[in-house]
Each structure stands twice: as C-alpha cells, then as structure tokens.
Amino acid sequence: MSVESRYLDVPGAKLHYEVRGRGPVLLIIPGGPADGSMFGPLAEELAAEYSVVTYDPRGLSESTRDNPDEDVTVAEQADDARRLLYEFGPEPAYVYGNSGGAITGLELVTLFPGRVKALLAHEPPLTELLPDREEQRVFGEALLAVYREAGAVAAFQRFISDTGIVPSADGQDESGQVPPELEALLARMVPNLDLFFGHMFRAIVGYVPDLDALRGTSTRVVVARAATTDGEIAARTAEALADSLDQPLGILPGDHGGGGVSPAEFAAALHVLLTWK
C-alpha cells in the first residue's frame, strides 16, 4: 500500500501526516507521547475500506511547534485535528482516538460536531469521572514529581507500571524478557516524553468531558475498552464514560495500545464499531 507523507501548517505548529488507501476519511489520533507511526500497521489494514490519515500531534516526532515552552491544550489538539480533516474536504469523517487521543476526539466532537460522522473513543483516561478521582490526582502529582527529580524515562517507567498497561515496572514479562511490542513502544516514545510530561500531562488528566454536549451531538460516539485490560485504570475510565452517556461499552481485541499487536483483528473490530447502526 502506497503512503503519502505530507505536512500542514497550523497556528503555532507544523503537523506531519500520512495518507493511505481510498474511501471515506478515517483519522487516527494517537495518545500521550505516541505518534502516527505507531498506527502504521493498523492503517495498512484499514486502507482497503478508508482513506486513513495518521499523524504526529504538535511537537511530537516529525511534527514541530513554534514555542517549545508553551503547554499543549486539549482544545488546541482538537483544533489541529479539525484543520487536518479540512484538508480532505467538508464531508464529516470517521475518527478513531486511542487513549489521550480519544480525549482529543471527544473535544473535537464537542467543539466541531459537524466534522465527525462517528468517533470511536478507545480507553480515554478520564480519571475525573472516577469515584477515586482524588487518589488519581495524587498519583498524577507524584508522577510529575518523579519527572522533575529523576527525568522523563523514570516517570514513564513509573507511569506504565502503576497504570497496568504493560506487564511490570521494568517492562519484563514473567520470563524476564522485554516484549517486542513494548521495546518498540519505548523506543518511539522516549524522544517525546519531555513534551508529554512537561507540557501535555496536566491537560489530559484534568480533562472533564462535556457530557451534555456529547449526549446531544449529531456525531455517533462509541466508547470502547480493550479485551485484556479488565480492572485497569483506562478500562475503568472507558466504562465510566459509557455509563455517563448511557450507552453500551464496546470491546476491542488486544490491549490499551489499540491495534499495534494484532492489527488485522483490531481493524476488523474497529470497522464494525465505527459503522454499526
């Protein structure tokens, strides 16, 4: 499958994005310090049905921003996604957001509902919806303290171990081996970690969705969790959002990463949820 690599100037930044396939537009929004390349295999699978757009959010990987000292807001991220969608015409598009990217998707639907036909929000980390939100706030502040005192990699190791999204604190499984998917994940994310912890983290963990706007939007909003994350923080937040919107919770194969390990199986399930009526 051919891949077109492009750039888009947006206020205060330049976005790098890639396009695969033909058909209705499907924008994939990565979360946290992740970039568009992490969803390349998934995009390849989806390209038979969609024009799949993957991108690096502002300041991450190949995307740049004019002022590296500014914080990145969720509204700013949503506006970037809106401007990117307009590159493909005025018709509403499909959107898949993973983790923090799902929060961007929710804000996109809230601010610009006419741009999105259907949003699949996969495990958005909406800790403010949880009954133990105060405990989560304490954890977030402790994580930022680790970042300030020991650096971004140490904070990321603490983050992935305490949230349960990877096997253990040191990234090893029970056999003592680092899973290949985790090794690749860490390698891609490390250059982006200072921006994530220094200028993105607070906006993501403090985000409170406009539930009334989401209930009343013309966009079909589908909330999903991963099949293997029962009891983990991101699964709990997905469940809380689905409950708040009074809708069933979708289940997608794999883990919190959202399609990186079994992209063919994940793509098939994603297509069903996006197009189910």
Side-chain angles (χ1 to χ4, degrees), residues 124-156:
L126 298 166
T127 52
E128 288 296 307
L129 296 184
L130 297 178
D132 59 337
R133 64 182 68 88
E134 290 290 347
E135 180 181 333
Q136 300 304 324
R137 291 169 186 163
V138 170
F139 167 69
E141 290 304 316
L143 197 61
L144 291 177
V146 173
Y147 169 64
R148 291 189 297 269
E149 295 165 10
V153 172
F156 190 56

Side-chain angles (χ1 to χ4, degrees), residues 151-212:
V153 172
F156 190 56
Q157 290 174 333
R158 170 77 178 271
F159 172 72
I160 60 180
S161 63
D162 287 8
T163 56
I165 63 173
V166 293
S168 68
D170 60 3
Q172 296 180 344
D173 60 23
E174 293 180 357
S175 68
Q177 300 298 311
V178 176
E181 64 272 17
L182 175 57
E183 190 172 29
L185 175 79
L186 290 170
R188 286 176 182 152
M189 286 189 173
V190 164
N192 296 330
L193 291 179
D194 277 310
L195 175 57
F196 174 60
F197 286 114
H199 298 287
M200 297 173 66
F201 184 79
R202 287 190 188 277
I204 293 171
V205 300
Y207 182 76
V208 179
D210 186 334
L211 297 173
D212 289 336

Side-chain angles (χ1 to χ4, degrees), residues 64 86 89-90 111 118 132 135 152 168 178 189 203 228 234 238 247 262:
T64 60
Y86 269 120
L111 297 178
D132 59 337
E135 180 181 333
S168 68
V178 176
M189 286 189 173
T228 63
Q247 65 173 242
S262 302

Side-chain angles (χ1 to χ4, degrees), residues 56-277:
D56 304 338
R58 60 171 55 217
L60 299 178
S61 298
E62 293 190 51
S63 291
T64 60
R65 59 193 191 122
D66 297 344
N67 188 344
D69 297 323
E70 289 184 346
D71 289 342
V72 179
T73 68
V74 175
E76 195 172 42
Q77 297 268 45
D79 189 61
D80 287 348
R82 175 186 69 93
R83 292 172 185 274
L84 189 51
L85 287 176
Y86 269 120
E87 291 296 292
F88 300 89
E91 291 298 313
Y94 293 99
V95 175
Y96 163 58
N98 173 245
S99 189
I103 288 179
T104 300
L106 293 168
E107 186 73 352
L108 173 65
V109 167
T110 299
L111 297 178
F112 314 106
R115 295 302 302 136
V116 183
K117 182 175 184 178
L119 165 68
L120 178 53
H122 182 242
E123 297 202 331
L126 298 166
T127 52
E128 288 296 307
L129 296 184
L130 297 178
D132 59 337
R133 64 182 68 88
E134 290 290 347
E135 180 181 333
Q136 300 304 324
R137 291 169 186 163
V138 170
F139 167 69
E141 290 304 316
L143 197 61
L144 291 177
V146 173
Y147 169 64
R148 291 189 297 269
E149 295 165 10
V153 172
F156 190 56
Q157 290 174 333
R158 170 77 178 271
F159 172 72
I160 60 180
S161 63
D162 287 8
T163 56
I165 63 173
V166 293
S168 68
D170 60 3
Q172 296 180 344
D173 60 23
E174 293 180 357
S175 68
Q177 300 298 311
V178 176
E181 64 272 17
L182 175 57
E183 190 172 29
L185 175 79
L186 290 170
R188 286 176 182 152
M189 286 189 173
V190 164
N192 296 330
L193 291 179
D194 277 310
L195 175 57
F196 174 60
F197 286 114
H199 298 287
M200 297 173 66
F201 184 79
R202 287 190 188 277
I204 293 171
V205 300
Y207 182 76
V208 179
D210 186 334
L211 297 173
D212 289 336
L214 293 173
R215 293 186 191 106
T217 183
S218 58
T219 300
R220 192 170 70 86
V221 177
V222 181
V223 185
R225 51 153 285 200
T228 63
T229 58
D230 187 36
E232 294 177 7
I233 186 69
R236 292 175 54 216
T237 56
E239 291 162 359
L241 178 60
D243 288 345
S244 297
L245 298 178
D246 194 25
Q247 65 173 242
L249 181 71
I251 304 295
L252 287 165
D255 57 22
H256 181 70
V261 178
S262 302
E265 182 184 7
F266 193 93
L270 183 152
H271 177 67
V272 170
L273 288 182
L274 271 180
T275 59
W276 180 80
K277 301 189 183 295

